[in-house]
């Protein structure tokens, strides 16, 4: 399983907003500059995050984006799933997939895929945006995101 560029950039975008908002909206062009990501590409990503209710836009002077909740209320998994969809390694263990093959009841390899899915979910669903903020401060100190 590979996380796409959009998924990776979405997580960086959310982290940047968490680190730099200080109660004020964060302009997308500032995020783009700090993260060295095209502002046009970030617009596509932030649109999806906004539709999912993870960020909200502020228009006008001093406009930009704000988190809709506190950083500790977001999981990495929640953010990634907005851009990536289900993180299941194969469709037969995707809980949203109603089409299961006729071999499911005797498929030994399906157990491997279920274990991989459980391991991935165990990481991304227990790490919060606040955890990443703390790791950033530990790793980077006073540098800007």
């Amino acid at each position: 399983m590979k996380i796409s560029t959009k998924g990776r950039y979405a997580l960086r975008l959310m982290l940047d907003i968490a680190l730099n908002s200080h109660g004020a909206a964060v302009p997308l062009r500032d995020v783009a500059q700090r993260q060295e990501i095209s502002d046009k590409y970030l617009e596509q990503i932030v649109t999806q995050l906004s539709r999912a209710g993870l960020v909200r836009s502020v228009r006008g002077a001093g406009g930009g984006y704000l988190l809709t909740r506190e950083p500790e209320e977001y999981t990495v998994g929640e953010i990634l799933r907005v851009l990536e969809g289900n993180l299941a390694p194969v469709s037969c263990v995707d809980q949203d997939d109603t089409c299961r093959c006729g071999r499911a009841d005797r498929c030994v390899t399906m157990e491997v895929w279920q274990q991989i899915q459980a391991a991935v979910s165990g990481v991304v669903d227990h790490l919060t945006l606040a955890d990443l903020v703390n790791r950033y401060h530990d790793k980077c100190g006073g540098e800007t995101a």
Side-chain angles (χ1 to χ4, degrees):
M1 178 191 69
K2 258 189 174 176
I3 302 296
S4 71
T5 302
K6 277 190 176 181
R8 294 190 337 258
Y9 288 179
L11 197 54
R12 286 171 53 188
L13 169 64
M14 294 290 287
L15 177 59
D16 193 286
I17 293 170
L19 287 166
N20 294 293
S21 69
H22 311 293
V26 178
L28 203 57
R29 70 180 170 282
D30 293 355
V31 176
Q33 185 177 18
R34 281 190 294 268
Q35 297 300 320
E36 300 175 343
I37 302 170
S38 156
D39 55 342
K40 295 293 183 196
Y41 198 41
L42 280 180
E43 286 174 14
Q44 295 173 28
I45 294 167
V46 81
T47 297
Q48 289 181 266
L49 294 170
S50 183
R51 282 189 195 135
L54 301 186
V55 297
R56 68 179 178 89
S57 66
V58 176
R59 304 255 183 242
Y65 290 87
L66 290 166
L67 301 178
T68 57
R69 306 187 308 252
E70 295 299 317
E72 49 276 344
E73 297 175 28
Y74 294 90
T75 66
V76 169
E78 173 186 21
I79 296 164
L80 290 176
R81 285 183 185 96
V82 169
L83 282 292
E84 302 292 334
N86 192 304
L87 299 177
V90 293
S91 63
C92 64
V93 296
D94 182 348
Q95 294 176 355
D96 295 334
D97 187 8
T98 56
C99 179
R100 299 193 46 129
C101 76
R103 299 177 41 93
D105 59 337
R106 62 185 190 280
C107 181
V108 176
T109 59
M110 191 163 106
E111 295 172 13
V112 174
W113 312 134
Q114 289 169 331
Q115 289 176 9
I116 291 170
Q117 181 181 22
V120 169
S121 294
V123 172
V124 300
D125 292 335
H126 291 92
L127 268 176
T128 68
L129 192 55
D131 293 329
L132 297 183
V133 167
N134 291 334
R135 288 179 183 193
Y136 176 84
H137 288 304
D138 290 345
K139 195 171 198 172
C140 302
E143 293 178 35
T144 59

